[in-house]
């Protein structure tokens, strides 16, 4: 497919975005009060995704065997990140918000104190993996963040 850069400006309506067969180069989304569900594609090349979420709940489904760098500034809506069970994955939480963060047990704390402010967790094979999923929470509001398989 044709390499595609996508920009989304969401408002109060619900969004369901399936990018499964898109050759994604990058995506930027500013989401509002409507619930959003975004399915990111598996591609041969790495890509960046930037999400600025508002008061609406956000569900992101990450692909297998693809290098994705996801940066999130979350608001008051819950954010759920669905990670494939076989993925090598890193989570960096760089901001202390009032919402809770829920992680799977298999992630190891590799940097920080575990207080969810300037902390990094990752899978055991992350450093040496050919394709990795990296999620950076750069701003955290009152909405909870869930990392799920």
């Amino acid at each position: 497919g044709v390499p595609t850069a996508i920009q989304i400006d969401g408002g109060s309506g619900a969004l369901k975005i399936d990018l499964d067969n898109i050759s994604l180069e990058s995506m930027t989304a500013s989401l509002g009060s409507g619930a959003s569900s975004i399915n990111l594609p598996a591609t041969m090349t790495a890509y960046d995704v930037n999400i600025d979420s508002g008061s609406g709940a956000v569900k992101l489904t990450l692909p297998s065997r693809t290098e994705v760098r996801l940066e999130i500034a979350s608001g008051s809506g819950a954010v759920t990140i669905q990670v494939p069970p076989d993925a090598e994955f890193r989570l960096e939480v760089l901001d202390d918000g009032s919402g809770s963060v829920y992680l799977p047990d298999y992630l190891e704390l590799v940097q920080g104190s575990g207080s969810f402010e300037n902390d990094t967790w990752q899978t055991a094979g992350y450093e040496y993996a050919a394709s990795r999923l990296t999620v950076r929470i750069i701003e955290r509001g009152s909405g909870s963040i869930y990392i799920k398989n």
Side-chain angles (χ1 to χ4, degrees):
V2 176
T4 306
I6 295 176
Q7 183 169 343
I8 299 165
D9 288 317
S12 58
L15 294 173
K16 183 172 183 172
I17 301 166
D18 186 353
L19 301 173
D20 231 10
N21 295 314
I22 302 294
S23 182
L24 194 63
E25 251 182 5
S26 67
M27 185 180 95
T28 301
S30 180
L31 306 172
S33 59
S36 301
S37 175
I38 301 171
N39 188 29
L40 295 172
T43 63
M44 298 300 290
T45 56
Y47 61 86
D48 296 320
V49 175
N50 295 294
I51 305 282
D52 186 355
S53 70
S55 58
V58 176
K59 180 181 180 194
L60 299 163
T61 303
L62 304 183
S64 291
R65 297 174 301 283
T66 300
E67 180 103 6
V68 178
R69 294 172 300 270
L70 170 63
E71 207 166 78
I72 298 174
S74 69
S76 59
V79 175
T80 302
I81 301 169
Q82 193 76 39
V83 178
D86 61 343
E88 297 301 340
F89 175 75
R90 169 183 269 174
L91 174 69
E92 300 173 15
V93 180
L94 306 175
D95 184 45
D96 181 24
S98 58
S100 299
V101 179
Y102 299 94
L103 305 176
D105 293 337
Y106 64 83
L107 290 179
E108 303 171 24
L109 180 66
V110 294
Q111 182 179 350
S113 66
S115 66
F116 296 100
E117 181 180 8
N118 295 314
D119 293 333
T120 301
W121 290 264
Q122 67 189 34
T123 54
Y126 177 86
E127 293 296 334
Y128 305 104
S131 58
R132 305 181 290 195
L133 300 174
T134 306
V135 175
R136 301 179 80 225
I137 309 294
I138 58 169
E139 279 182 41
R140 200 157 56 100
S142 58
S144 294
I145 296 171
Y146 301 88
I147 308 296
K148 296 184 173 183
N149 289 96

